[in-house]
Amino acid sequence: MEALRQDDPRRFGRFTALARFHEGASAVRYVARDTATGEVVLVTAARPQLAAVPVFSRRFRAEARTAERLAGGWVSPPVGLGEEPEAPADGPEPLWTAAAYVPALPLAEAVAIAGPLPERALRILGAGIAEILSRVHASGSVLQGLAPGTVLLAADGPRLTAFGPLGAAASAEVGPGGQLSVRLGYLTPEQIEGKEVSAASDLFVLGLLLAYAATGTTPFTEGPAEEAARRIAEDEPELDAVPDPLRELIASCLAKDPAERPAAGTVAAELALEGAAGLARGGWLPERLAAAVTDQEARVLALEPPEDDTEPEAGSTETAEAGAGAAEAEAAESGPEETPEPEDARPEDPRTDGARPEDPRAAPEPQDARTAPEPEDARPLPVPPADASQTKASPAGTPPADASPVNAPASQAPTAAPASVSAPVSDGDTGEDRGTTRFLNTGPRPPQSDRPTTQLALPHELTAPPGAALVPAAHPMPPALPAAPGTPQQPHQQPSHTQGGPAPYPAAALPAGPAGPGGPGGGPMVSLPLPPAPAPAPDPGASRRTLLTIAAAAVGGLVVGGGSVAALGSGDTAAATDDKPAPKPRRTLPGQAPEPRWIYAHPASESSPLTTAVWQDKLLVVTSESQASAVDLRTGKRLWQRADGAKGQAALAAGDDLVFVASPTEFLWLSPKNGKVVHRVRYTEAFTDLPGLTVGRLAGSSGPVIWFTGSHTVTVKAPKPKKGKKKEKDKEVVQAHFFAYDIVQRKELWRTAVPAGRSPGTPAYRVVAERSADVLVRQDAVSLTAAEVKAAKGKGSVRSFDQKTGKLLWTKKYGAASLEAATTGDEDGALYAAVGKDLQAFEADTTKPLWRVEGSDGSWFGTPLIAGPLIHTTERSRLVGAVERESGRLVWRRSTEVPGIGNAPSLTLSSSEKTLIAADAIQVTVFSAADGERLWKFQDIGSADPKGATVSAPYRALTFGETVVVQRDRSFYAFPVA
């Protein structure tokens, strides 16, 4: 962290900036505090030069929306977004987004502090990131946001902070006409061959990250830097220092053929079958890293808003910059000063010259080459101040001492070839782009044409033209990475930044231009055009030249050539092409979700689903605000829609040949073939003695019988006043009833008067058990009146109604079960209720306690699910289990491994009762019902449209035959289950 600079914004909406956190290629991150709540956040503010470019603005907001869709688990939820930049006196305020602050270290900094991570930490790191990728790839999208500086290590697990190429950018270039090119700090074999990226590209980079975290270096460093591209494309990775149990998995991620790389879900399952959160429970960071995270948190929480009128103290940022300016002027008089080569990219020099020039940040730069200060995590490590005379006497080619290799003898000083600093991009006559080259730890090279380097990534027609303005990027000279295991390490100074942007890979890990490392244009980084306007995805059958022309002009996103995978976070609509080939069979591994039998997307032009239900194992009936519709469960294709079923409740089977739907005004019986209304019973006609009847939510069903509540308003005449008294006004009173109705015979079976609920008056009942003589019903706490809540004294109750007549038989309370306690019962007369943090069984008729299952601290049980001799349990702590109905003996208990505390997962059994499905707001986890073995889990990012609404709906599961249909808002997936 560093103090705010004079031109830094002080306010971002309701947040007050406290300090600079780090500076990246496309944005600056600030520590800020909510002025009202005191909440500490990290604000990511786009560079003003880039924020003014329309295509950048669209992409920036699109990546912010991607973060919203991924929020939860290992992604900190956004808490604010600057929709439109304001214009203060000193210039435009950048685009910004804010996310909750989580104390964490970038992976690059963690490796620099403590060296390679141990195996358990590697598993947690890889599983957490793979879990995020699994959600991204489920929508047919690509992340392109992984880098050592965008992956953070927090106390409870990893975090990801970049959600597209802008967040992970090493530099960005704006060309004529507003074309934006983003350069990433890595290449994959398919990019080197000029092919498009895919989900498998994210897995290759994940393999690089894991190898880097395991060894302190990357697996393609051996050999000349100028051959790095060839090594990535052709050579096998060097993984000898990777722990044996992880070597095969990382090697599979680094396969040259994208089709041979495992899916993200497979990687997550192999690394941590119980999930990253479960494996990280109890702590996972080495002691030094845990202490560094704690120290960072303390320093952040101690920050106070700076005084606007406070002058910078001596030695502050402004003073340092002034010193740098003087040095530049001095250097300009004596000729250009060479920029030192990154420490691990140069050969050692036997010379013993101890002269040390000034900090290379003082080297001369073209006046228009830089408009933003250099990020702190991108600068060389501080060195003791050098004597001025020594600096002047130093040969031009002698680099500063802080640029020498960590393990080099003190008497040796490496050399550097002449090169200019941050030279503007041109036609190839200039020196190297030091910002790009130093970021990747590659040394200088003679000026060369940029064309061959560009061709490593994309055809030349798509690259930024010569003369394009280079937006200032980070100019990191990273801290030296610890040597691989077994290599002696010398003491080194820890990096000063606390949470950096994209951190570099070691020397020669990435490909450079043809003339060697450090060639013009930044060599190793791939330039990805981000066109300013959307257009339909091109036809994959079109000629390559046609595709390139279209892409250069207007294709939205990052995919060139009409590939089947669309880039996530594009400023325009991202969609897969219709002719996407069928996926190849993947390796069958525990934890890997099976291939869905079909996927159905509810049309975006229609309102979101309200209810879903399986009808006779043949149809998936979906109701919404506008209509009811049916999907064929065999194919996932929509068969029909019917406006009459708008706002209907979950569909039921009325015999073998009709679909029953209860709408707000009538009961409907629809044809399963075409949705045509076969029968219609309006409430005004069926219940003529209850004018204005409002039917509430269905309380339950059994065979042809449904139970529901309803209410209507009646006028009660005021009594005749006594002599001399004024007549009172008539009163409007709500009367409520509990009904039983046969949907096959289409007739009312009985009704019984019950107390009206909270306004508007219809009580919300739920049938918790059906027995031969009665039905047990519980009222939702939210529908109780204030008087009922007061009389209950915090305890919930259950009512018994006679099956044949509807007569109220009794009302009972069970132990200390609260008004909101989850409750269910069985046909044998037992009732199961959450009591405090435990689950307790009672005799329903006598309230006698039978047994108790202890729950976890700080949690409570959700609604259990009865299955034969077992009761499946669910808790807010994301624990799912099974106990014996008779004795309460615990059979098994497992975690879904979703981080944090939330609502207890809802439980569903497969038709065979062999598979248990647990669904919550984060994921679906599938267990073996008998022994609790976790079979697989599934996460879906939701809509892939960057302009679409954030998907926050929880998952639901419906089963039929050997299939489970997983729903999240508009998306439906049919998976095979036992």
Side-chain angles (χ1 to χ4, degrees):
M1 286 185 296
E2 65 173 270
L4 294 175
R5 301 179 184 176
Q6 185 174 7
D7 57 349
D8 281 332
R10 270 20 181 201
R11 300 276 298 182
F12 298 94
R14 67 181 188 274
F15 304 109
T16 300
L18 304 178
R20 276 178 163 245
F21 207 71
H22 93 277
E23 192 170 2
S26 63
V28 179
R29 302 185 77 189
Y30 299 90
V31 179
R33 181 177 291 131
D34 189 320
T35 54
T37 65
E39 177 187 14
V40 178
V41 300
L42 288 181
V43 173
T44 301
R47 291 184 179 276
Q49 305 97 316
L50 293 172
V53 180
V55 67
F56 178 91
S57 176
R58 290 202 308 273
R59 167 67 67 173
F60 184 91
R61 291 194 174 97
E63 292 188 12
R65 294 188 191 101
T66 299
E68 291 178 344
R69 288 195 292 271
L70 288 172
W74 307 121
V75 176
S76 297
V79 295
L81 176 65
E83 292 298 335
E84 294 296 336
E86 299 177 0
D90 58 348
E93 181 181 347
L95 299 168
W96 62 271
T97 182
Y101 165 71
V102 176
L105 299 173
L107 175 60
E109 183 175 333
V111 171
I113 291 174
L117 299 181
E119 180 188 338
R120 177 168 171 268
L122 289 171
R123 288 183 175 276
I124 295 167
L125 169 66
I129 300 304
E131 287 169 5
I132 299 174
L133 292 179
S134 178
R135 297 168 61 192
V136 174
H137 298 166
S139 67
S141 304
V142 186
L143 182 67
Q144 290 190 286
L146 297 182
T150 65
V151 174
L152 310 182
L153 311 186
D156 59 346
R159 294 291 191 279
L160 183 63
T161 62
F163 307 98
L166 288 189
S171 71
E173 297 178 0
V174 179
Q179 186 185 35
L180 178 68
S181 294
V182 171
R183 295 187 175 207
L184 303 177
Y186 53 81
L187 286 179
T188 63
E190 54 268 31
Q191 287 174 302
I192 292 174
E193 295 175 3
K195 299 178 180 178
E196 65 191 41
V197 295
S198 67
S201 303
D202 283 336
L203 270 297
F204 187 89
V205 182
L206 177 60
L208 286 177
L209 285 175
L210 290 177
Y212 168 66
T215 64
T217 185
T218 47
F220 298 102
T221 55
E222 288 296 327
E226 62 270 17
E227 297 181 6
R230 181 197 58 76
R231 291 197 300 272
I232 286 180
E234 301 174 6
D235 291 359
E236 292 301 314
E238 176 55 53
L239 300 174
D240 290 346
V242 173
D244 291 342
L246 303 181
R247 191 173 299 147
E248 182 180 355
L249 177 63
I250 294 177
S252 66
C253 291
L254 297 174
K256 307 303 180 186
D257 184 355
E260 296 180 1
R261 297 171 200 158
T266 300
V267 174
E270 282 203 16
L271 291 174
L273 185 58
E274 68 272 46
L279 191 57
R281 188 168 292 131
W284 71 293
L285 292 176
E287 184 176 351
R288 291 182 64 186
L289 297 183
V293 171
T294 302
D295 176 69
Q296 179 198 107
E297 180 180 21
R299 288 186 288 118
V300 167
L301 295 180
L303 290 172
E304 295 294 339
E307 296 291 340
D308 291 339
D309 56 352
T310 301
E311 294 295 331
E313 300 177 3
S316 68
T317 303
E318 292 185 7
T319 305
E321 291 177 351
E328 291 179 7
E330 182 178 355
E333 295 178 1
S334 58
E337 179 184 345
E338 295 175 356
T339 302
E341 190 177 21
E343 55 188 63
D344 53 0
R346 298 190 304 275
E348 296 181 2
D349 191 324
R351 292 180 301 174
T352 58
D353 187 357
R356 303 170 68 164
E358 295 183 63
D359 193 313
R361 283 172 286 176
E365 300 178 4
Q367 185 175 0
D368 59 349
R370 286 186 55 188
T371 58
E374 198 172 15
E376 66 174 290
D377 64 338
R379 298 171 184 157
L381 296 175
V383 297
D387 182 85
S389 61
Q390 289 179 324
T391 303
K392 292 180 180 180
S394 174
T398 304
D402 65 338
S404 61
V406 176
N407 56 357
S411 61
Q412 293 179 349
T415 60
S420 60
V421 180
S422 299
V425 177
S426 70
D427 59 0
D429 295 334
T430 62
E432 62 171 332
D433 177 353
R434 294 301 298 171
T436 300
T437 306
R438 289 174 59 194
F439 177 84
L440 292 160
N441 276 1
T442 54
R445 65 183 181 188
Q448 295 255 343
S449 169
D450 193 38
R451 180 181 297 263
T453 300
T454 307
Q455 290 174 341
L456 285 175
L458 295 175
H460 186 64
E461 292 90 334
L462 294 181
T463 60
L470 176 63
V471 175
H475 292 229
M477 178 170 287
L481 296 172
T487 304
Q489 300 187 38
Q490 299 296 329
H492 62 276
Q493 185 171 351
Q494 296 182 7
S496 59
H497 66 289
T498 57
Q499 187 167 335
Y505 290 106
L510 305 172
M525 283 179 273
V526 54
S527 181
L528 300 173
L530 300 181
D539 181 0
S543 69
R544 181 171 182 80
R545 176 63 187 175
T546 302
L547 293 176
L548 296 180
T549 304
I550 296 174
V555 173
L558 302 181
V559 177
V560 177
S564 62
V565 178
L568 180 65
S570 166
D572 312 305
T573 299
T577 56
D578 294 335
D579 58 347
K580 181 169 69 174
K584 294 183 179 180
R586 298 181 299 188
R587 290 188 293 165
T588 302
L589 293 171
Q592 175 185 355
E595 294 289 346
R597 289 173 170 161
W598 50 258
I599 300 175
Y600 167 70
H602 192 69
S605 59
E606 301 175 12
S607 54
S608 295
L610 295 175
T611 69
T612 53
V614 169
W615 182 86
Q616 298 285 58
D617 288 1
K618 297 178 181 179
L619 299 180
L620 178 70
V621 182
V622 180
T623 66
S624 66
E625 292 283 346
S626 57
Q627 62 190 6
S629 57
V631 176
D632 189 332
L633 285 175
R634 296 172 304 163
T635 64
K637 303 295 184 182
R638 178 187 271 196
L639 298 178
W640 51 259
Q641 57 260 21
R642 177 64 59 178
D644 300 80
K647 302 181 181 179
Q649 301 193 49
L652 299 171
D656 296 331
D657 54 357
L658 291 176
V659 178
F660 172 82
V661 175
S663 81
T665 59
E666 58 190 351
F667 290 149
L668 298 171
W669 287 260
L670 309 177
S671 167
K673 296 181 179 180
N674 53 25
K676 180 180 178 181
V677 177
V678 179
H679 303 291
R680 185 192 309 266
V681 174
R682 294 184 173 88
Y683 303 147
T684 55
E685 299 171 355
F687 309 100
T688 55
D689 57 335
L690 301 175
L693 178 68
T694 299
V695 173
R697 184 191 67 198
L698 296 184
S701 66
S702 177
V705 179
I706 62 172
W707 296 282
F708 61 92
T709 54
S711 65
H712 72 123
T713 303
V714 298
T715 301
V716 178
K717 296 290 186 179
K720 185 177 180 180
K722 295 181 180 179
K723 188 176 181 179
K725 296 293 185 179
K726 189 176 181 180
K727 183 180 180 180
E728 297 179 359
K729 293 183 179 181
D730 296 341
K731 293 182 178 179
E732 299 290 322
V733 178
V734 176
Q735 294 181 346
H737 295 83
F738 185 43
F739 298 84
Y741 192 93
D742 189 314
I743 61 174
V744 173
Q745 301 182 47
R746 299 194 298 280
K747 70 175 184 178
E748 179 183 346
L749 299 179
W750 50 256
R751 79 176 74 158
T752 185
V754 294
R758 185 184 299 244
S759 179
T762 304
Y765 282 8
R766 183 172 64 86
V767 174
V768 297
E770 181 196 6
R771 305 190 294 183
S772 59
D774 62 353
V775 288
L776 304 185
V777 176
R778 182 176 175 85
Q779 184 173 349
D780 289 353
V782 293
S783 68
L784 293 170
T785 64
E788 288 174 323
V789 172
K790 183 177 180 181
K793 297 182 179 179
K795 295 183 179 181
S797 59
V798 173
R799 296 183 175 100
S800 169
F801 293 91
D802 187 274
Q803 276 270 32
K804 294 182 178 180
T805 65
K807 178 183 177 182
L808 177 64
L809 301 178
W810 48 255
T811 302
K812 298 182 183 297
K813 296 180 179 180
Y814 296 85
S818 68
L819 293 168
E820 298 86 8
T823 307
T824 195
D826 61 27
E827 70 280 1
D828 297 329
L831 198 76
Y832 312 95
V835 179
K837 67 181 184 66
D838 302 332
L839 180 68
Q840 193 164 356
F842 301 89
E843 285 186 355
D845 294 317
T846 66
T847 73
K848 175 185 175 181
L850 299 176
W851 48 255
R852 177 190 296 264
V853 174
E854 186 176 352
S856 52
D857 293 336
S859 182
W860 59 77
F861 283 87
T863 303
L865 180 64
I866 299 172
L870 298 179
I871 299 174
H872 293 290
T873 62
T874 175
E875 301 179 55
R876 282 190 72 233
S877 56
R878 316 299 177 107
L879 292 175
V880 174
V883 299
E884 291 181 349
R885 282 174 63 183
E886 191 70 26
S887 63
R889 184 183 70 87
L890 182 65
V891 178
W892 60 264
R893 182 180 286 175
R894 301 283 187 273
S895 173
T896 64
E897 306 307 339
V898 172
I901 295 290
N903 293 328
S906 60
L907 302 179
T908 307
L909 274 171
S910 64
S911 299
S912 66
E913 297 190 353
K914 294 180 180 179
T915 305
L916 180 69
I917 302 101
D920 57 26
I922 305 299
Q923 71 182 31
V924 172
T925 313
V926 178
F927 300 89
S928 167
D931 56 14
E933 178 188 1
R934 196 180 76 172
L935 304 177
W936 51 269
K937 63 182 179 179
F938 173 75
Q939 295 175 320
D940 168 36
I941 191 177
S943 171
D945 183 0
K947 297 181 180 179
T950 299
V951 178
S952 58
Y955 291 89
R956 294 190 60 208
L958 302 96
T959 59
F960 68 96
E962 297 181 343
T963 303
V964 57
V965 176
V966 173
Q967 177 201 358
R968 193 184 190 207
D969 195 38
R970 298 176 181 274
S971 300
F972 297 80
Y973 304 83
F975 293 105
V977 293

XYZ file of all heavy atoms in Angstrom, residues 276-332:
395
model
N -12.642 -27.542 -1.746
C -11.567 -26.700 -1.216
C -11.881 -26.209 0.186
O -11.006 -26.167 1.055
C -11.324 -25.517 -2.158
N -13.128 -25.815 0.424
C -13.491 -25.292 1.746
C -13.339 -26.352 2.821
O -12.864 -26.071 3.928
C -14.923 -24.771 1.715
N -13.722 -27.599 2.521
C -13.591 -28.663 3.506
C -12.143 -28.963 3.814
O -11.769 -29.155 4.976
N -11.299 -29.015 2.778
C -9.888 -29.302 2.995
C -9.185 -28.159 3.723
O -8.212 -28.370 4.453
C -9.215 -29.571 1.648
C -7.801 -30.153 1.686
C -7.773 -31.454 2.478
C -7.285 -30.384 0.273
N -9.685 -26.934 3.542
C -9.046 -25.763 4.168
C -9.507 -25.543 5.600
O -8.968 -24.670 6.287
C -9.339 -24.508 3.337
N -10.500 -26.306 6.031
C -11.030 -26.096 7.377
C -9.932 -26.290 8.419
O -9.190 -27.258 8.401
C -12.194 -27.051 7.636
C -12.944 -26.785 8.920
C -14.232 -27.571 8.960
N -15.185 -27.071 7.964
C -15.828 -27.831 7.117
N -15.630 -29.134 7.121
N -16.682 -27.307 6.256
N -9.820 -25.333 9.346
C -8.785 -25.397 10.375
C -7.502 -24.683 9.988
O -6.530 -24.701 10.752
N -7.484 -24.037 8.821
C -6.300 -23.304 8.381
C -5.552 -24.059 7.308
O -5.520 -25.292 7.296
N -4.941 -23.321 6.390
C -4.253 -23.971 5.278
C -2.976 -23.269 4.869
O -2.140 -23.836 4.177
C -5.179 -24.064 4.077
C -5.466 -22.745 3.397
C -6.166 -21.699 3.914
C -5.049 -22.339 2.087
N -6.235 -20.671 3.006
C -5.567 -21.042 1.873
C -4.319 -22.947 1.081
C -5.340 -20.337 0.694
C -4.111 -22.250 -0.100
C -4.610 -20.955 -0.286
N -2.780 -22.027 5.310
C -1.605 -21.277 4.897
C -0.412 -21.603 5.792
O -0.571 -21.777 7.012
C -1.883 -19.775 4.963
C -2.888 -19.214 3.962
C -3.112 -17.728 4.221
C -2.418 -19.438 2.531
N 0.789 -21.674 5.223
C 1.984 -21.788 6.063
C 2.057 -20.632 7.054
O 1.477 -19.565 6.837
C 3.133 -21.734 5.045
C 2.520 -22.200 3.760
C 1.106 -21.712 3.776
N 2.779 -20.841 8.130
C 2.787 -19.877 9.238
C 3.186 -18.486 8.790
O 2.581 -17.492 9.192
C 3.732 -20.381 10.334
C 3.741 -19.507 11.579
C 4.613 -20.075 12.682
O 5.076 -21.230 12.538
O 4.837 -19.370 13.672
N 4.205 -18.377 7.936
C 4.666 -17.048 7.506
C 3.592 -16.324 6.697
O 3.417 -15.116 6.832
C 5.946 -17.179 6.682
C 7.161 -17.630 7.470
C 8.398 -17.692 6.597
N 8.761 -16.371 6.104
C 9.734 -16.155 5.227
N 10.416 -17.191 4.741
N 10.016 -14.943 4.813
N 2.880 -17.066 5.859
C 1.836 -16.431 5.058
C 0.637 -16.051 5.926
O 0.035 -14.989 5.734
C 1.404 -17.363 3.934
C 2.474 -17.715 2.899
C 1.881 -18.582 1.801
C 3.089 -16.452 2.304
N 0.276 -16.901 6.869
C -0.829 -16.570 7.767
C -0.514 -15.310 8.553
O -1.379 -14.435 8.741
C -1.101 -17.741 8.708
N 0.743 -15.165 8.986
C 1.131 -13.956 9.718
C 1.092 -12.732 8.815
O 0.682 -11.643 9.238
C 2.529 -14.141 10.303
N 1.503 -12.902 7.556
C 1.480 -11.766 6.624
C 0.054 -11.314 6.342
O -0.217 -10.113 6.229
C 2.185 -12.158 5.324
N -0.877 -12.258 6.222
C -2.280 -11.908 6.000
C -2.836 -11.159 7.210
O -3.532 -10.151 7.074
C -3.105 -13.175 5.709
C -4.597 -12.855 5.708
C -2.711 -13.769 4.365
N -2.515 -11.645 8.400
C -2.983 -10.974 9.625
C -2.412 -9.568 9.727
O -3.123 -8.617 10.088
C -2.582 -11.799 10.852
O -3.135 -13.110 10.742
C -3.069 -11.140 12.134
N -1.137 -9.417 9.390
C -0.507 -8.093 9.441
C -1.145 -7.147 8.438
O -1.385 -5.974 8.730
C 0.993 -8.235 9.163
C 1.703 -6.890 9.104
O 1.813 -6.236 10.156
O 2.135 -6.499 7.996
N -1.434 -7.658 7.251
C -2.076 -6.810 6.249
C -3.435 -6.311 6.741
O -3.783 -5.146 6.593
C -2.260 -7.586 4.943
C -2.935 -6.790 3.848
C -3.484 -7.681 2.757
O -4.688 -7.877 2.634
N -2.593 -8.226 1.945
N -4.211 -7.211 7.316
C -5.531 -6.825 7.813
C -5.418 -5.736 8.871
O -6.189 -4.763 8.869
C -6.240 -8.041 8.387
C -7.626 -7.724 8.917
C -8.320 -8.942 9.477
O -7.615 -9.919 9.813
O -9.564 -8.938 9.574
N -4.447 -5.867 9.783
C -4.287 -4.869 10.834
C -3.934 -3.504 10.258
O -4.445 -2.468 10.697
C -3.212 -5.330 11.824
N -3.066 -3.499 9.252
C -2.673 -2.223 8.653
C -3.828 -1.580 7.886
O -3.988 -0.366 7.895
C -1.467 -2.436 7.732
C -0.184 -2.703 8.500
C 1.047 -2.766 7.602
N 1.067 -3.984 6.802
C 1.033 -4.003 5.499
N 0.935 -2.885 4.810
N 1.072 -5.146 4.831
N -4.623 -2.405 7.224
C -5.766 -1.858 6.484
C -6.796 -1.263 7.440
O -7.325 -0.172 7.223
C -6.394 -2.949 5.597
C -7.758 -2.504 5.082
C -5.482 -3.263 4.421
N -7.092 -1.985 8.507
C -8.109 -1.509 9.447
C -7.653 -0.265 10.199
O -8.483 0.489 10.715
C -8.464 -2.618 10.444
C -9.127 -3.857 9.824
C -9.430 -4.890 10.895
C -10.402 -3.474 9.093
N -6.332 -0.028 10.253
C -5.825 1.156 10.948
C -5.806 2.397 10.067
O -5.515 3.493 10.549
C -4.412 0.877 11.467
N -6.128 2.250 8.795
C -6.093 3.394 7.892
C -7.169 4.410 8.245
O -8.285 4.050 8.616
C -6.294 2.939 6.446
C -5.148 2.146 5.804
C -5.583 1.602 4.461
C -3.913 3.017 5.651
N -6.840 5.663 8.108
C -7.779 6.761 8.318
C -7.829 7.605 7.056
O -6.839 7.698 6.324
C -7.365 7.623 9.506
C -7.408 6.911 10.849
C -8.820 6.538 11.263
O -9.766 7.164 10.737
O -8.985 5.609 12.078
N -8.972 8.240 6.781
C -9.051 9.111 5.596
C -8.023 10.218 5.666
O -7.863 10.854 6.717
C -10.481 9.667 5.653
C -11.229 8.689 6.505
C -10.237 8.179 7.506
N -7.267 10.464 4.605
C -6.269 11.537 4.626
C -6.929 12.904 4.626
O -8.030 13.089 4.107
C -5.481 11.289 3.341
C -6.456 10.614 2.431
C -7.332 9.783 3.317
N -6.242 13.881 5.213
C -6.711 15.263 5.158
C -6.428 15.801 3.775
O -5.322 15.695 3.255
C -5.981 16.111 6.205
C -6.272 15.700 7.638
C -7.695 16.015 8.033
O -8.305 16.864 7.371
O -8.195 15.417 8.998
N -7.443 16.413 3.150
C -7.265 16.910 1.778
C -6.226 18.022 1.687
O -5.583 18.200 0.679
C -8.602 17.427 1.232
C -9.570 16.281 1.002
O -9.100 15.137 0.883
O -10.788 16.545 0.956
N -6.106 18.787 2.774
C -5.204 19.938 2.704
C -3.843 19.627 3.297
O -3.047 20.509 3.531
C -5.833 21.136 3.441
C -6.189 20.786 4.887
O -6.088 19.592 5.253
O -6.558 21.712 5.632
N -3.551 18.357 3.573
C -2.268 18.003 4.154
C -1.204 17.988 3.074
O -1.366 17.346 2.042
C -2.347 16.627 4.817
O -3.356 16.674 5.815
C -1.012 16.244 5.431
N -0.085 18.692 3.321
C 1.009 18.708 2.368
C 1.786 17.402 2.489
O 1.964 16.869 3.573
C 1.950 19.899 2.634
C 1.301 21.238 2.393
C 0.930 21.434 0.947
O 1.611 20.859 0.084
O -0.044 22.138 0.666
N 2.290 16.853 1.403
C 3.072 15.626 1.480
C 4.352 15.851 2.256
O 4.998 16.887 2.126
C 3.355 15.272 0.022
C 3.132 16.533 -0.745
C 2.131 17.328 0.019
N 4.708 14.873 3.069
C 5.909 14.983 3.870
C 7.132 14.683 3.018
O 7.038 14.146 1.916
C 5.840 13.994 5.043
C 4.664 14.249 5.958
C 4.586 13.213 7.056
O 5.492 12.360 7.100
O 3.643 13.257 7.854
N 8.283 14.996 3.552
C 9.524 14.702 2.846
C 9.637 13.202 2.648
O 9.371 12.435 3.556
C 10.714 15.238 3.646
N 10.094 12.834 1.461
C 10.201 11.424 1.174
C 8.914 10.798 0.708
O 8.844 9.607 0.497
N 7.850 11.602 0.557
C 6.570 11.062 0.093
C 6.641 10.779 -1.385
O 7.652 10.970 -2.037
C 5.432 12.052 0.387
O 5.598 13.193 -0.430
N 5.502 10.363 -1.918
C 5.459 10.013 -3.332
C 5.835 11.189 -4.205
O 6.584 11.067 -5.166
C 4.053 9.510 -3.691
O 3.737 8.405 -2.851
C 3.989 9.082 -5.133
N 5.289 12.389 -3.882
C 5.587 13.544 -4.737
C 7.069 13.875 -4.697
O 7.677 14.213 -5.695
C 4.751 14.738 -4.274
C 3.262 14.564 -4.533
C 2.496 15.816 -4.173
O 3.143 16.827 -3.853
O 1.265 15.793 -4.244
N 7.671 13.773 -3.486
C 9.094 14.062 -3.384
C 9.893 13.075 -4.217
O 10.820 13.428 -4.927
C 9.529 13.996 -1.907
O 8.712 14.864 -1.159
C 10.985 14.376 -1.761
N 9.511 11.817 -4.123
C 10.214 10.792 -4.903
C 10.100 11.052 -6.388
O 11.060 10.910 -7.136
C 9.671 9.409 -4.549
N 8.890 11.453 -6.811
C 8.706 11.721 -8.232
C 9.502 12.935 -8.677
O 10.036 12.982 -9.773
C 7.225 11.909 -8.525
C 6.436 10.623 -8.390
C 4.969 10.853 -8.603
O 4.573 12.026 -8.674
O 4.226 9.854 -8.694
N 9.590 13.930 -7.793
C 10.380 15.103 -8.141
C 11.845 14.718 -8.306
O 12.534 15.171 -9.218
C 10.210 16.177 -7.064
N 12.324 13.846 -7.384
C 13.690 13.374 -7.508
C 13.912 12.624 -8.793
O 14.937 12.739 -9.442
N 12.924 11.828 -9.142
C 13.034 11.082 -10.391
C 13.096 12.021 -11.578
O 13.834 11.805 -12.532
C 11.867 10.101 -10.526
N 12.297 13.098 -11.515
C 12.318 14.051 -12.612
C 13.670 14.713 -12.757
O 14.166 14.940 -13.854
N 14.304 15.066 -11.633
C 15.631 15.668 -11.689
C 16.631 14.700 -12.292
O 17.492 15.073 -13.079
C 16.059 16.078 -10.274
N 16.507 13.456 -11.896
C 17.421 12.454 -12.445
C 17.242 12.329 -13.953
O 18.203 12.163 -14.690
C 17.199 11.105 -11.758
N 15.992 12.403 -14.403
C 15.741 12.313 -15.841
C 16.389 13.475 -16.575
O 16.985 13.311 -17.641
C 14.242 12.293 -16.100
C 13.566 11.025 -15.646
C 12.083 11.074 -15.897
O 11.649 12.035 -16.534
O 11.381 10.136 -15.478
N 16.248 14.660 -16.008
C 16.844 15.825 -16.659
C 18.353 15.688 -16.743
O 18.986 15.998 -17.750
C 16.452 17.094 -15.897
N 18.955 15.185 -15.621
C 20.398 15.002 -15.617
C 20.817 13.955 -16.638
O 21.796 14.134 -17.354
C 20.827 14.574 -14.204
C 22.347 14.405 -14.082
C 22.718 14.038 -12.657
O 21.828 14.024 -11.793
O 23.897 13.770 -12.426
N 20.027 12.895 -16.708
C 20.364 11.844 -17.665
C 20.228 12.327 -19.095
O 20.966 11.912 -19.977
C 19.481 10.623 -17.427
N 19.278 13.222 -19.327
C 19.061 13.714 -20.678
C 20.271 14.482 -21.184
O 20.576 14.490 -22.369
C 17.806 14.579 -20.723
